[in-house]
Amino acid sequence: MDHFLTLESEAVRHNLINLKQIVFEVTERCNLNCRYCGLADMYNGNQNRNTRQLSFRKARLLIEYLASLWKENHSEGSFQPVTVSFYGGEPLLNMLFIKNVISCLEQLPDTGKYFHYGMTTNAMLLDRHMDYLAEKHFHLLISLDGDKAAHSYRTDHAGNNSFCRVFGNIKRLQEKYPDYFRQLVTFNSVLHNRNNVETTHRFIMDNFGKAPTISPLNNSGILPEKIDEFREMYRNKMDSMTATGNCEAIESEVFISAPRIYELAQYIYKQSGNVFSNFNELLFDFTGMDMFPTGTCTPFLKKMFITAGGDILQCEKIDHDFVLGHIHDDRVDLDCQAIADHYNRHVSKCLGQCANCADSRQCSQCVYNMDDIREENPHCRNFCSRKEVDRKKQKTTDFLREHPYYYEKILKEVVIRN
């Protein structure tokens, strides 16, 4: 039976010192009214989140707080990258905030950090701000669901399809800054009942030379009265590929985005016995060592998310009920011990299931994305018996046996980032 660790306050502080990404929710406002948006009325807890903007004063307080921590713990000659991302709502609606934050970062004294910038945008205002984005080398993730019919859930507040304006703005960016576009622009597409994997992939490839990330609708936190609406819109990615009757050809084209190939890559990564995250793992055998329960990231291990209201969370995918700290008008309130206690309290609810799960060491379940985590005995949808693990293993090895050429292709071309 596995033994599980509890999180200590020093581990939280260590994560802050080595923070990899800061995500600012620039504004809750959006110039689109997408029907399936996580901030729309289909999902729980987001009905009153549509007007606030994050003040630069609060952002500056956080930057100064982190910079002091970084400088205090900086080893001379070492430099670490930090990605600063801007999120919404639609972040381009608050461009002054973005420029002020970047100016503030560029004026910091030496902290041992250097900064990259990123943004998720619907591209409605891209024509106005593309010069600045290209100048600062923003990693740009653009939301586009395919052609005009496929994009039709992404409407403005008058109900008009945003496709023509979005498509035109993206083309302008591609034509004006071709090298920047090729290197730093990517696409995200939402899968639903008005598009499919094949047509969406090919539309974006044909027009922009990019393979989009295609994601199904978020199935967590749906309001009970909206379940039927959700089911009408929802499409499973594998089912969408199979329905075309051309599944294997599509899998080969989209490759790692195909569910079966992604699962195979994960299986090879986890089961090969030849993957090491650091030199300690290379030199010492950690098999059987204690571990944290569930697949929930420890706070700030990967990122920090700041809401438009100044709340601090560990991720933008987590409900705003699970706040870890707050930026006030005059100070940053972050208590590492309280944060560790918060984490331990929630993951401990799953200890019984984790102890009996045959796949606990490969768990990907974040407890904060469990709909019933607020209850004392939540149910983990990823719980696996030994029989289920063996069935998944057999399914994956059967797929590999039928497609042996994918093994070499995965080893040569795939990079899996944790």
Side-chain angles (χ1 to χ4, degrees), residues 26-57:
V26 175
T27 178
E28 294 174 346
R29 296 186 302 125
C30 189
N31 44 12
L32 294 184
N33 188 30
C34 305
R35 186 173 165 191
Y36 53 63
C37 177
L39 300 182
D41 62 3
M42 194 157 62
Y43 292 92
N44 183 45
N46 293 315
Q47 287 67 42
N48 297 316
R49 297 187 60 249
N50 57 16
T51 59
R52 293 180 299 181
Q53 295 197 144
L54 181 59
S55 72
F56 171 62
R57 177 189 179 92

PDB file of all heavy atoms in Angstrom, residues 26-57:
ATOM      1  N   VAL A  26      -6.840  39.659 -16.410  1.00  0.00           N
ATOM      2  CA  VAL A  26      -6.793  41.089 -16.694  1.00  0.00           C
ATOM      3  C   VAL A  26      -8.165  41.737 -16.503  1.00  0.00           C
ATOM      4  O   VAL A  26      -8.282  42.836 -15.955  1.00  0.00           O
ATOM      5  CB  VAL A  26      -6.292  41.304 -18.136  1.00  0.00           C
ATOM      6  CG1 VAL A  26      -6.341  42.759 -18.520  1.00  0.00           C
ATOM      7  CG2 VAL A  26      -4.878  40.765 -18.278  1.00  0.00           C
ATOM      8  N   THR A  27      -9.189  41.065 -16.957  1.00  0.00           N
ATOM      9  CA  THR A  27     -10.552  41.590 -16.873  1.00  0.00           C
ATOM     10  C   THR A  27     -11.544  40.441 -16.964  1.00  0.00           C
ATOM     11  O   THR A  27     -11.254  39.401 -17.562  1.00  0.00           O
ATOM     12  CB  THR A  27     -10.833  42.598 -18.005  1.00  0.00           C
ATOM     13  OG1 THR A  27     -12.181  43.063 -17.916  1.00  0.00           O
ATOM     14  CG2 THR A  27     -10.614  41.971 -19.382  1.00  0.00           C
ATOM     15  N   GLU A  28     -12.702  40.637 -16.348  1.00  0.00           N
ATOM     16  CA  GLU A  28     -13.801  39.680 -16.509  1.00  0.00           C
ATOM     17  C   GLU A  28     -14.649  40.012 -17.735  1.00  0.00           C
ATOM     18  O   GLU A  28     -15.432  39.190 -18.187  1.00  0.00           O
ATOM     19  CB  GLU A  28     -14.691  39.691 -15.264  1.00  0.00           C
ATOM     20  CG  GLU A  28     -14.008  39.171 -14.020  1.00  0.00           C
ATOM     21  CD  GLU A  28     -14.850  39.331 -12.779  1.00  0.00           C
ATOM     22  OE1 GLU A  28     -15.853  40.080 -12.807  1.00  0.00           O
ATOM     23  OE2 GLU A  28     -14.516  38.717 -11.755  1.00  0.00           O
ATOM     24  N   ARG A  29     -14.488  41.226 -18.248  1.00  0.00           N
ATOM     25  CA  ARG A  29     -15.291  41.648 -19.395  1.00  0.00           C
ATOM     26  C   ARG A  29     -14.858  40.904 -20.661  1.00  0.00           C
ATOM     27  O   ARG A  29     -13.708  40.535 -20.819  1.00  0.00           O
ATOM     28  CB  ARG A  29     -15.152  43.148 -19.628  1.00  0.00           C
ATOM     29  CG  ARG A  29     -15.685  44.011 -18.493  1.00  0.00           C
ATOM     30  CD  ARG A  29     -15.656  45.480 -18.851  1.00  0.00           C
ATOM     31  NE  ARG A  29     -14.305  45.927 -19.183  1.00  0.00           N
ATOM     32  CZ  ARG A  29     -13.966  46.528 -20.320  1.00  0.00           C
ATOM     33  NH1 ARG A  29     -14.876  46.730 -21.267  1.00  0.00           N
ATOM     34  NH2 ARG A  29     -12.732  46.932 -20.536  1.00  0.00           N
ATOM     35  N   CYS A  30     -15.811  40.710 -21.559  1.00  0.00           N
ATOM     36  CA  CYS A  30     -15.491  40.090 -22.836  1.00  0.00           C
ATOM     37  C   CYS A  30     -16.363  40.712 -23.925  1.00  0.00           C
ATOM     38  O   CYS A  30     -17.524  41.058 -23.681  1.00  0.00           O
ATOM     39  CB  CYS A  30     -15.728  38.577 -22.790  1.00  0.00           C
ATOM     40  SG  CYS A  30     -15.114  37.724 -24.264  1.00  0.00           S
ATOM     41  N   ASN A  31     -15.796  40.867 -25.111  1.00  0.00           N
ATOM     42  CA  ASN A  31     -16.552  41.415 -26.238  1.00  0.00           C
ATOM     43  C   ASN A  31     -17.281  40.329 -27.016  1.00  0.00           C
ATOM     44  O   ASN A  31     -17.901  40.616 -28.038  1.00  0.00           O
ATOM     45  CB  ASN A  31     -15.627  42.215 -27.168  1.00  0.00           C
ATOM     46  CG  ASN A  31     -14.309  41.509 -27.429  1.00  0.00           C
ATOM     47  OD1 ASN A  31     -14.138  40.336 -27.115  1.00  0.00           O
ATOM     48  ND2 ASN A  31     -13.367  42.239 -28.007  1.00  0.00           N
ATOM     49  N   LEU A  32     -17.192  39.087 -26.547  1.00  0.00           N
ATOM     50  CA  LEU A  32     -17.989  38.003 -27.111  1.00  0.00           C
ATOM     51  C   LEU A  32     -18.896  37.412 -26.036  1.00  0.00           C
ATOM     52  O   LEU A  32     -18.695  37.634 -24.839  1.00  0.00           O
ATOM     53  CB  LEU A  32     -17.096  36.914 -27.707  1.00  0.00           C
ATOM     54  CG  LEU A  32     -16.272  37.307 -28.941  1.00  0.00           C
ATOM     55  CD1 LEU A  32     -15.505  36.096 -29.474  1.00  0.00           C
ATOM     56  CD2 LEU A  32     -17.154  37.899 -30.045  1.00  0.00           C
ATOM     57  N   ASN A  33     -19.854  36.635 -26.481  1.00  0.00           N
ATOM     58  CA  ASN A  33     -20.819  36.014 -25.580  1.00  0.00           C
ATOM     59  C   ASN A  33     -20.977  34.546 -25.973  1.00  0.00           C
ATOM     60  O   ASN A  33     -22.059  34.097 -26.345  1.00  0.00           O
ATOM     61  CB  ASN A  33     -22.160  36.756 -25.670  1.00  0.00           C
ATOM     62  CG  ASN A  33     -23.155  36.289 -24.623  1.00  0.00           C
ATOM     63  OD1 ASN A  33     -22.763  35.868 -23.539  1.00  0.00           O
ATOM     64  ND2 ASN A  33     -24.434  36.348 -24.956  1.00  0.00           N
ATOM     65  N   CYS A  34     -19.864  33.806 -25.910  1.00  0.00           N
ATOM     66  CA  CYS A  34     -19.852  32.416 -26.360  1.00  0.00           C
ATOM     67  C   CYS A  34     -20.762  31.561 -25.491  1.00  0.00           C
ATOM     68  O   CYS A  34     -20.679  31.603 -24.256  1.00  0.00           O
ATOM     69  CB  CYS A  34     -18.431  31.864 -26.321  1.00  0.00           C
ATOM     70  SG  CYS A  34     -17.240  32.849 -27.258  1.00  0.00           S
ATOM     71  N   ARG A  35     -21.570  30.775 -26.145  1.00  0.00           N
ATOM     72  CA  ARG A  35     -22.599  30.015 -25.426  1.00  0.00           C
ATOM     73  C   ARG A  35     -22.007  29.007 -24.448  1.00  0.00           C
ATOM     74  O   ARG A  35     -22.575  28.755 -23.378  1.00  0.00           O
ATOM     75  CB  ARG A  35     -23.488  29.300 -26.446  1.00  0.00           C
ATOM     76  CG  ARG A  35     -24.690  28.584 -25.846  1.00  0.00           C
ATOM     77  CD  ARG A  35     -25.581  28.051 -26.949  1.00  0.00           C
ATOM     78  NE  ARG A  35     -26.527  27.074 -26.459  1.00  0.00           N
ATOM     79  CZ  ARG A  35     -27.275  26.299 -27.239  1.00  0.00           C
ATOM     80  NH1 ARG A  35     -27.172  26.421 -28.561  1.00  0.00           N
ATOM     81  NH2 ARG A  35     -28.100  25.415 -26.733  1.00  0.00           N
ATOM     82  N   TYR A  36     -20.859  28.430 -24.783  1.00  0.00           N
ATOM     83  CA  TYR A  36     -20.282  27.384 -23.934  1.00  0.00           C
ATOM     84  C   TYR A  36     -19.186  27.897 -23.002  1.00  0.00           C
ATOM     85  O   TYR A  36     -18.482  27.111 -22.364  1.00  0.00           O
ATOM     86  CB  TYR A  36     -19.713  26.261 -24.804  1.00  0.00           C
ATOM     87  CG  TYR A  36     -18.753  26.714 -25.873  1.00  0.00           C
ATOM     88  CD1 TYR A  36     -17.547  27.328 -25.551  1.00  0.00           C
ATOM     89  CD2 TYR A  36     -19.049  26.544 -27.222  1.00  0.00           C
ATOM     90  CE1 TYR A  36     -16.670  27.756 -26.523  1.00  0.00           C
ATOM     91  CE2 TYR A  36     -18.174  26.958 -28.209  1.00  0.00           C
ATOM     92  CZ  TYR A  36     -16.981  27.559 -27.850  1.00  0.00           C
ATOM     93  OH  TYR A  36     -16.107  27.983 -28.815  1.00  0.00           O
ATOM     94  N   CYS A  37     -18.996  29.193 -22.939  1.00  0.00           N
ATOM     95  CA  CYS A  37     -17.921  29.763 -22.126  1.00  0.00           C
ATOM     96  C   CYS A  37     -18.043  29.329 -20.664  1.00  0.00           C
ATOM     97  O   CYS A  37     -19.142  29.239 -20.112  1.00  0.00           O
ATOM     98  CB  CYS A  37     -17.963  31.292 -22.218  1.00  0.00           C
ATOM     99  SG  CYS A  37     -16.725  32.122 -21.194  1.00  0.00           S
ATOM    100  N   GLY A  38     -16.892  29.082 -20.033  1.00  0.00           N
ATOM    101  CA  GLY A  38     -16.883  28.709 -18.629  1.00  0.00           C
ATOM    102  C   GLY A  38     -17.383  29.796 -17.708  1.00  0.00           C
ATOM    103  O   GLY A  38     -17.698  29.532 -16.544  1.00  0.00           O
ATOM    104  N   LEU A  39     -17.468  31.039 -18.218  1.00  0.00           N
ATOM    105  CA  LEU A  39     -18.014  32.140 -17.425  1.00  0.00           C
ATOM    106  C   LEU A  39     -19.461  32.441 -17.797  1.00  0.00           C
ATOM    107  O   LEU A  39     -20.036  33.409 -17.316  1.00  0.00           O
ATOM    108  CB  LEU A  39     -17.169  33.400 -17.615  1.00  0.00           C
ATOM    109  CG  LEU A  39     -15.700  33.278 -17.218  1.00  0.00           C
ATOM    110  CD1 LEU A  39     -14.992  34.603 -17.409  1.00  0.00           C
ATOM    111  CD2 LEU A  39     -15.568  32.809 -15.778  1.00  0.00           C
ATOM    112  N   ALA A  40     -20.056  31.614 -18.667  1.00  0.00           N
ATOM    113  CA  ALA A  40     -21.451  31.823 -19.074  1.00  0.00           C
ATOM    114  C   ALA A  40     -22.384  31.112 -18.100  1.00  0.00           C
ATOM    115  O   ALA A  40     -21.961  30.527 -17.096  1.00  0.00           O
ATOM    116  CB  ALA A  40     -21.649  31.318 -20.498  1.00  0.00           C
ATOM    117  N   ASP A  41     -23.685  31.136 -18.423  1.00  0.00           N
ATOM    118  CA  ASP A  41     -24.661  30.668 -17.447  1.00  0.00           C
ATOM    119  C   ASP A  41     -24.868  29.159 -17.440  1.00  0.00           C
ATOM    120  O   ASP A  41     -25.742  28.652 -16.749  1.00  0.00           O
ATOM    121  CB  ASP A  41     -26.011  31.371 -17.671  1.00  0.00           C
ATOM    122  CG  ASP A  41     -26.599  31.071 -19.054  1.00  0.00           C
ATOM    123  OD1 ASP A  41     -26.002  30.281 -19.808  1.00  0.00           O
ATOM    124  OD2 ASP A  41     -27.668  31.634 -19.357  1.00  0.00           O
ATOM    125  N   MET A  42     -24.030  28.405 -18.167  1.00  0.00           N
ATOM    126  CA  MET A  42     -24.158  26.954 -18.137  1.00  0.00           C
ATOM    127  C   MET A  42     -23.394  26.349 -16.962  1.00  0.00           C
ATOM    128  O   MET A  42     -23.635  25.223 -16.555  1.00  0.00           O
ATOM    129  CB  MET A  42     -23.643  26.358 -19.455  1.00  0.00           C
ATOM    130  CG  MET A  42     -24.031  24.913 -19.663  1.00  0.00           C
ATOM    131  SD  MET A  42     -24.026  24.418 -21.415  1.00  0.00           S
ATOM    132  CE  MET A  42     -22.306  24.649 -21.851  1.00  0.00           C
ATOM    133  N   TYR A  43     -22.486  27.144 -16.385  1.00  0.00           N
ATOM    134  CA  TYR A  43     -21.610  26.621 -15.337  1.00  0.00           C
ATOM    135  C   TYR A  43     -21.876  27.303 -13.991  1.00  0.00           C
ATOM    136  O   TYR A  43     -22.265  28.466 -13.922  1.00  0.00           O
ATOM    137  CB  TYR A  43     -20.145  26.803 -15.729  1.00  0.00           C
ATOM    138  CG  TYR A  43     -19.751  25.934 -16.896  1.00  0.00           C
ATOM    139  CD1 TYR A  43     -19.844  26.403 -18.205  1.00  0.00           C
ATOM    140  CD2 TYR A  43     -19.298  24.636 -16.699  1.00  0.00           C
ATOM    141  CE1 TYR A  43     -19.489  25.604 -19.280  1.00  0.00           C
ATOM    142  CE2 TYR A  43     -18.941  23.829 -17.774  1.00  0.00           C
ATOM    143  CZ  TYR A  43     -19.040  24.315 -19.055  1.00  0.00           C
ATOM    144  OH  TYR A  43     -18.700  23.524 -20.126  1.00  0.00           O
ATOM    145  N   ASN A  44     -21.617  26.561 -12.946  1.00  0.00           N
ATOM    146  CA  ASN A  44     -21.876  27.007 -11.583  1.00  0.00           C
ATOM    147  C   ASN A  44     -20.846  28.027 -11.114  1.00  0.00           C
ATOM    148  O   ASN A  44     -19.660  27.911 -11.412  1.00  0.00           O
ATOM    149  CB  ASN A  44     -21.845  25.793 -10.642  1.00  0.00           C
ATOM    150  CG  ASN A  44     -22.182  26.162  -9.217  1.00  0.00           C
ATOM    151  OD1 ASN A  44     -23.127  26.892  -8.959  1.00  0.00           O
ATOM    152  ND2 ASN A  44     -21.411  25.649  -8.281  1.00  0.00           N
ATOM    153  N   GLY A  45     -21.308  29.033 -10.373  1.00  0.00           N
ATOM    154  CA  GLY A  45     -20.412  29.948  -9.686  1.00  0.00           C
ATOM    155  C   GLY A  45     -19.908  31.121 -10.486  1.00  0.00           C
ATOM    156  O   GLY A  45     -19.120  31.920  -9.984  1.00  0.00           O
ATOM    157  N   ASN A  46     -20.340  31.263 -11.743  1.00  0.00           N
ATOM    158  CA  ASN A  46     -19.765  32.318 -12.577  1.00  0.00           C
ATOM    159  C   ASN A  46     -20.785  33.368 -13.028  1.00  0.00           C
ATOM    160  O   ASN A  46     -20.469  34.224 -13.844  1.00  0.00           O
ATOM    161  CB  ASN A  46     -19.119  31.685 -13.821  1.00  0.00           C
ATOM    162  CG  ASN A  46     -17.918  30.839 -13.459  1.00  0.00           C
ATOM    163  OD1 ASN A  46     -17.092  31.249 -12.660  1.00  0.00           O
ATOM    164  ND2 ASN A  46     -17.842  29.642 -14.013  1.00  0.00           N
ATOM    165  N   GLN A  47     -21.994  33.296 -12.477  1.00  0.00           N
ATOM    166  CA  GLN A  47     -23.054  34.140 -13.008  1.00  0.00           C
ATOM    167  C   GLN A  47     -22.843  35.635 -12.777  1.00  0.00           C
ATOM    168  O   GLN A  47     -23.331  36.457 -13.537  1.00  0.00           O
ATOM    169  CB  GLN A  47     -24.409  33.725 -12.396  1.00  0.00           C
ATOM    170  CG  GLN A  47     -24.948  32.402 -12.931  1.00  0.00           C
ATOM    171  CD  GLN A  47     -24.111  31.204 -12.527  1.00  0.00           C
ATOM    172  OE1 GLN A  47     -23.664  31.110 -11.404  1.00  0.00           O
ATOM    173  NE2 GLN A  47     -23.889  30.292 -13.463  1.00  0.00           N
ATOM    174  N   ASN A  48     -22.103  35.999 -11.733  1.00  0.00           N
ATOM    175  CA  ASN A  48     -21.925  37.424 -11.420  1.00  0.00           C
ATOM    176  C   ASN A  48     -20.519  37.925 -11.734  1.00  0.00           C
ATOM    177  O   ASN A  48     -20.112  38.989 -11.278  1.00  0.00           O
ATOM    178  CB  ASN A  48     -22.240  37.656  -9.933  1.00  0.00           C
ATOM    179  CG  ASN A  48     -23.677  37.329  -9.604  1.00  0.00           C
ATOM    180  OD1 ASN A  48     -24.586  37.708 -10.349  1.00  0.00           O
ATOM    181  ND2 ASN A  48     -23.896  36.611  -8.510  1.00  0.00           N
ATOM    182  N   ARG A  49     -19.783  37.165 -12.528  1.00  0.00           N
ATOM    183  CA  ARG A  49     -18.405  37.529 -12.833  1.00  0.00           C
ATOM    184  C   ARG A  49     -18.325  38.085 -14.254  1.00  0.00           C
ATOM    185  O   ARG A  49     -18.077  37.354 -15.206  1.00  0.00           O
ATOM    186  CB  ARG A  49     -17.493  36.321 -12.680  1.00  0.00           C
ATOM    187  CG  ARG A  49     -17.438  35.764 -11.268  1.00  0.00           C
ATOM    188  CD  ARG A  49     -16.388  34.674 -11.132  1.00  0.00           C
ATOM    189  NE  ARG A  49     -15.069  35.219 -11.452  1.00  0.00           N
ATOM    190  CZ  ARG A  49     -14.381  34.892 -12.536  1.00  0.00           C
ATOM    191  NH1 ARG A  49     -14.881  34.042 -13.403  1.00  0.00           N
ATOM    192  NH2 ARG A  49     -13.198  35.425 -12.773  1.00  0.00           N
ATOM    193  N   ASN A  50     -18.512  39.387 -14.403  1.00  0.00           N
ATOM    194  CA  ASN A  50     -18.473  39.926 -15.766  1.00  0.00           C
ATOM    195  C   ASN A  50     -18.085  41.397 -15.859  1.00  0.00           C
ATOM    196  O   ASN A  50     -18.122  41.957 -16.944  1.00  0.00           O
ATOM    197  CB  ASN A  50     -19.823  39.718 -16.455  1.00  0.00           C
ATOM    198  CG  ASN A  50     -20.972  40.336 -15.683  1.00  0.00           C
ATOM    199  OD1 ASN A  50     -20.770  41.157 -14.796  1.00  0.00           O
ATOM    200  ND2 ASN A  50     -22.187  39.931 -16.013  1.00  0.00           N
ATOM    201  N   THR A  51     -17.727  42.040 -14.749  1.00  0.00           N
ATOM    202  CA  THR A  51     -17.503  43.491 -14.812  1.00  0.00           C
ATOM    203  C   THR A  51     -16.150  43.949 -14.272  1.00  0.00           C
ATOM    204  O   THR A  51     -15.673  45.021 -14.629  1.00  0.00           O
ATOM    205  CB  THR A  51     -18.599  44.237 -14.029  1.00  0.00           C
ATOM    206  OG1 THR A  51     -18.571  43.799 -12.663  1.00  0.00           O
ATOM    207  CG2 THR A  51     -19.973  43.953 -14.627  1.00  0.00           C
ATOM    208  N   ARG A  52     -15.507  43.156 -13.428  1.00  0.00           N
ATOM    209  CA  ARG A  52     -14.305  43.645 -12.744  1.00  0.00           C
ATOM    210  C   ARG A  52     -13.075  43.648 -13.651  1.00  0.00           C
ATOM    211  O   ARG A  52     -12.973  42.852 -14.578  1.00  0.00           O
ATOM    212  CB  ARG A  52     -14.025  42.802 -11.499  1.00  0.00           C
ATOM    213  CG  ARG A  52     -15.064  42.955 -10.399  1.00  0.00           C
ATOM    214  CD  ARG A  52     -14.727  42.095  -9.199  1.00  0.00           C
ATOM    215  NE  ARG A  52     -14.692  40.668  -9.553  1.00  0.00           N
ATOM    216  CZ  ARG A  52     -14.436  39.692  -8.684  1.00  0.00           C
ATOM    217  NH1 ARG A  52     -14.152  39.992  -7.423  1.00  0.00           N
ATOM    218  NH2 ARG A  52     -14.440  38.428  -9.079  1.00  0.00           N
ATOM    219  N   GLN A  53     -12.145  44.558 -13.332  1.00  0.00           N
ATOM    220  CA  GLN A  53     -10.836  44.592 -13.971  1.00  0.00           C
ATOM    221  C   GLN A  53      -9.776  44.601 -12.875  1.00  0.00           C
ATOM    222  O   GLN A  53      -9.945  45.238 -11.835  1.00  0.00           O
ATOM    223  CB  GLN A  53     -10.674  45.821 -14.863  1.00  0.00           C
ATOM    224  CG  GLN A  53     -11.600  45.837 -16.052  1.00  0.00           C
ATOM    225  CD  GLN A  53     -11.145  46.819 -17.121  1.00  0.00           C
ATOM    226  OE1 GLN A  53     -11.298  46.555 -18.298  1.00  0.00           O
ATOM    227  NE2 GLN A  53     -10.578  47.942 -16.718  1.00  0.00           N
ATOM    228  N   LEU A  54      -8.688  43.885 -13.091  1.00  0.00           N
ATOM    229  CA  LEU A  54      -7.607  43.861 -12.118  1.00  0.00           C
ATOM    230  C   LEU A  54      -6.858  45.191 -12.168  1.00  0.00           C
ATOM    231  O   LEU A  54      -6.458  45.641 -13.246  1.00  0.00           O
ATOM    232  CB  LEU A  54      -6.654  42.704 -12.430  1.00  0.00           C
ATOM    233  CG  LEU A  54      -5.465  42.516 -11.488  1.00  0.00           C
ATOM    234  CD1 LEU A  54      -5.931  42.292 -10.061  1.00  0.00           C
ATOM    235  CD2 LEU A  54      -4.608  41.338 -11.956  1.00  0.00           C
ATOM    236  N   SER A  55      -6.676  45.793 -11.027  1.00  0.00           N
ATOM    237  CA  SER A  55      -5.979  47.080 -10.996  1.00  0.00           C
ATOM    238  C   SER A  55      -4.476  46.862 -11.098  1.00  0.00           C
ATOM    239  O   SER A  55      -3.927  45.887 -10.558  1.00  0.00           O
ATOM    240  CB  SER A  55      -6.302  47.837  -9.697  1.00  0.00           C
ATOM    241  OG  SER A  55      -5.656  47.239  -8.589  1.00  0.00           O
ATOM    242  N   PHE A  56      -3.812  47.789 -11.770  1.00  0.00           N
ATOM    243  CA  PHE A  56      -2.358  47.698 -11.878  1.00  0.00           C
ATOM    244  C   PHE A  56      -1.715  47.837 -10.499  1.00  0.00           C
ATOM    245  O   PHE A  56      -0.672  47.221 -10.230  1.00  0.00           O
ATOM    246  CB  PHE A  56      -1.824  48.773 -12.824  1.00  0.00           C
ATOM    247  CG  PHE A  56      -0.327  48.866 -12.816  1.00  0.00           C
ATOM    248  CD1 PHE A  56       0.455  47.786 -13.203  1.00  0.00           C
ATOM    249  CD2 PHE A  56       0.304  50.033 -12.387  1.00  0.00           C
ATOM    250  CE1 PHE A  56       1.846  47.868 -13.177  1.00  0.00           C
ATOM    251  CE2 PHE A  56       1.686  50.117 -12.361  1.00  0.00           C
ATOM    252  CZ  PHE A  56       2.457  49.029 -12.760  1.00  0.00           C
ATOM    253  N   ARG A  57      -2.335  48.604  -9.615  1.00  0.00           N
ATOM    254  CA  ARG A  57      -1.805  48.768  -8.250  1.00  0.00           C
ATOM    255  C   ARG A  57      -1.622  47.412  -7.579  1.00  0.00           C
ATOM    256  O   ARG A  57      -0.590  47.131  -6.963  1.00  0.00           O
ATOM    257  CB  ARG A  57      -2.752  49.652  -7.429  1.00  0.00           C
ATOM    258  CG  ARG A  57      -2.347  49.851  -5.972  1.00  0.00           C
ATOM    259  CD  ARG A  57      -3.448  50.558  -5.191  1.00  0.00           C
ATOM    260  NE  ARG A  57      -3.093  50.745  -3.798  1.00  0.00           N
ATOM    261  CZ  ARG A  57      -2.499  51.821  -3.318  1.00  0.00           C
ATOM    262  NH1 ARG A  57      -2.181  52.821  -4.137  1.00  0.00           N
ATOM    263  NH2 ARG A  57      -2.221  51.926  -2.029  1.00  0.00           N
TER     264      ARG A  57
END
